[in-house]
Amino acid sequence: MSSQGVRSNIWDEVESLPRPEMEKLQVERLRAGIGRVSTVVPFYKKKLIEAGITADSIRSLEDLDRLPFTTKADLRDNYPFDLLAVPMKEVIRLHASSGTTGKPTVVAYTRNDITLWSDLMARTYAAAGATADDVVHNAYGYGLFTGGLGFHYGAERLGAAVIPISGGNTKRQLMLMRDFGSTVLCCTPSYSLLIAEGAEEDGIDLRSLPLKVGLFGAEPWSERMREEIESRLGIVALNVYGLSEIIGPGVSVECTEKKGMHIFEDHFIPEIIDPITNQRLPDGEMGELVFTCVTKEALPLIRYRTRDRTRLMREKCECGRTTARMERVVGRTDDMIIVRGVNVFPSQIESVLLQAGEIEPQYEIIVDRTADHMDELDVLVEAPAQIYSDQQRLVQLEKRLSYDVQSALGITCKVKLVGPREIPRSEGKAVRVVDKRKM
Ligand code: DLL
């Protein structure tokens, strides 16, 4: 549709602004945003004074280099509400994702933030060619996770008919998808393959249904997986990226050219930095993605370090958009793993194991993908000799630890006890995670 530069699927004209105009808009918004946080968020006020930065001194995007970074640890240290830039009475929604310790990362939205998020999600759908005529099957989880409600509000904003089915019960999903004539599928890429499997089991040919496009994200996936999804579901599969701290989904999305995800740069200014030296890297170089929110009210984070590794490009896309694009995320600079869409930190597992008391602090986390494309999480833990030789105690302890880890993470997980010194030792940094999922 877009290879001739037809811009019919551009929902907002700002996406095709000439670069100098976009940058002018970003600088104006950045200046206003810095002015706001430097007066209302004590954390930023202190940091900006220390760095000698005033809003008036922001003249170009180069000035981003002078601004302080914000990290996940800053969110944890200010848990739950100390980074908010508005009084609680202006907050109308809270969401949360896993943090590095037991406490989640909390994010908040004012009414204007929810309007902005809905608009950005409508732009996300539009990039995929969706319109008010579509029927959106939304199988992202509803709840504290931003996926469900983000895709829901965006579909309503677009004027499409949304089916708030959430995750799970695949057979029922298939029945409704067929009966309601869904045209757009929203879920994690791995769940789309489980849907395909369920359809094949029930003799449903998904390719004969009206389904035409899928918006997949919340976890890393590959071109090979795209090919598989597209052929098994008979749809165009597009990548959607986002994170709770910035807004949720609705940070960037692929257009139907499938050449990188267009960033909603009029609201989130992207940079790539070297995660070791913290220096900004030129376009095209691989590094850590950093975002500055310039229009959000409740939680306008400055230079937030996403820990996601990717590259930026700024050439105009065939679709007509001029916004910066980011490549597929290739990994993380920290040890967070994503299992069935849930963010998991090895440190969360470690603290549960150590609390249990009876085991050695030697463990290995193994993530694999089952034949039906579901992520599987196993934790191998060394048991001391006296427990390892007592079959009954061993089984009881495995059960208890599995239960404790599952309750802490909120996902199924098997703890398996192994004998003393069975976990490989490392001479340098311990390798705690073995990710066997074939990308
Ligand atoms: O996963 C928001 C989202 C929901 C995005 C639905 C897309 C679709 P969090 O739970 O805070 O938010 O997790 C954010 O997930 O830093 C990435 O590491 C990873 N991630 C999200 N989208 C992608 C993607 C949501 N398309 C973390 N490719 C991010 C690779 C992704 N990783």
Side-chain angles (χ1 to χ4, degrees), residues 144-188:
L144 284 175
F145 176 54
T146 51
L149 287 173
F151 276 86
H152 183 101
Y153 273 61
E156 288 191 348
R157 177 73 181 95
L158 187 71
V162 58
I163 306 166
I165 186 114
S166 198
N169 201 344
T170 309
K171 296 286 155 99
R172 190 155 163 271
Q173 302 245 358
L174 279 161
M175 178 183 80
L176 297 188
M177 195 181 281
R178 193 164 55 172
D179 295 352
F180 294 177
S182 306
T183 52
V184 180
L185 172 62
C186 305
C187 61
T188 57

Side-chain angles (χ1 to χ4, degrees), residues 62-285:
E62 298 301 308
D63 289 315
L64 278 170
D65 289 346
R66 302 193 292 128
L67 297 175
F69 289 110
T70 311
T71 63
K72 191 126 184 154
D74 293 325
L75 287 170
R76 186 184 59 217
D77 296 346
N78 289 282
Y79 177 86
F81 302 136
D82 284 356
L83 285 185
L84 295 199
V86 295
M88 207 52 190
K89 72 171 188 307
E90 286 178 33
V91 170
I92 65 160
R93 176 94 66 78
L94 296 168
H95 280 282
S97 71
S98 316
T100 40
T101 57
K103 298 283 188 197
T105 299
V106 184
V107 297
Y109 304 75
T110 63
R111 192 171 299 284
N112 285 337
D113 290 336
I114 294 289
T115 303
L116 167 66
W117 192 18
S118 309
D119 282 350
L120 295 179
M121 287 308 296
R123 283 164 66 178
T124 298
Y125 283 107
T131 67
D133 295 330
D134 279 295
V135 178
V136 175
H137 186 97
N138 185 14
Y140 281 111
Y142 281 66
L144 284 175
F145 176 54
T146 51
L149 287 173
F151 276 86
H152 183 101
Y153 273 61
E156 288 191 348
R157 177 73 181 95
L158 187 71
V162 58
I163 306 166
I165 186 114
S166 198
N169 201 344
T170 309
K171 296 286 155 99
R172 190 155 163 271
Q173 302 245 358
L174 279 161
M175 178 183 80
L176 297 188
M177 195 181 281
R178 193 164 55 172
D179 295 352
F180 294 177
S182 306
T183 52
V184 180
L185 172 62
C186 305
C187 61
T188 57
S190 49
Y191 191 61
S192 77
L193 286 175
L194 203 65
I195 291 180
E197 204 124 271
E200 282 151 24
E201 270 169 32
D202 286 4
I204 300 170
D205 181 8
L206 286 175
R207 285 164 303 188
S208 67
L209 301 186
L211 208 59
K212 58 180 187 193
V213 64
L215 286 165
F216 304 118
E219 64 185 12
W221 55 307
S222 61
E223 278 308 313
R224 207 190 58 76
M225 203 154 152
R226 170 163 19 220
E227 283 161 24
E228 187 169 347
I229 295 172
E230 291 193 332
S231 80
R232 289 175 70 182
L233 283 87
I235 58 173
V236 171
L238 300 175
N239 202 355
V240 188
Y241 168 89
L243 62 165
S244 322
E245 297 91 315
I246 298 305
I247 201 156
V251 174
S252 67
V253 62
E254 281 179 322
C255 66
T256 47
E257 295 292 327
K258 302 180 190 162
K259 294 203 181 104
M261 294 178 271
H262 289 276
I263 297 170
F264 296 122
E265 263 193 289
D266 42 330
H267 299 280
F268 314 118
I269 305 179
E271 299 170 77
I272 294 288
I273 62 160
D274 178 324
I276 310 290
T277 65
N278 293 350
Q279 294 303 306
R280 178 129 52 106
L281 295 173
D283 289 349
E285 284 197 30

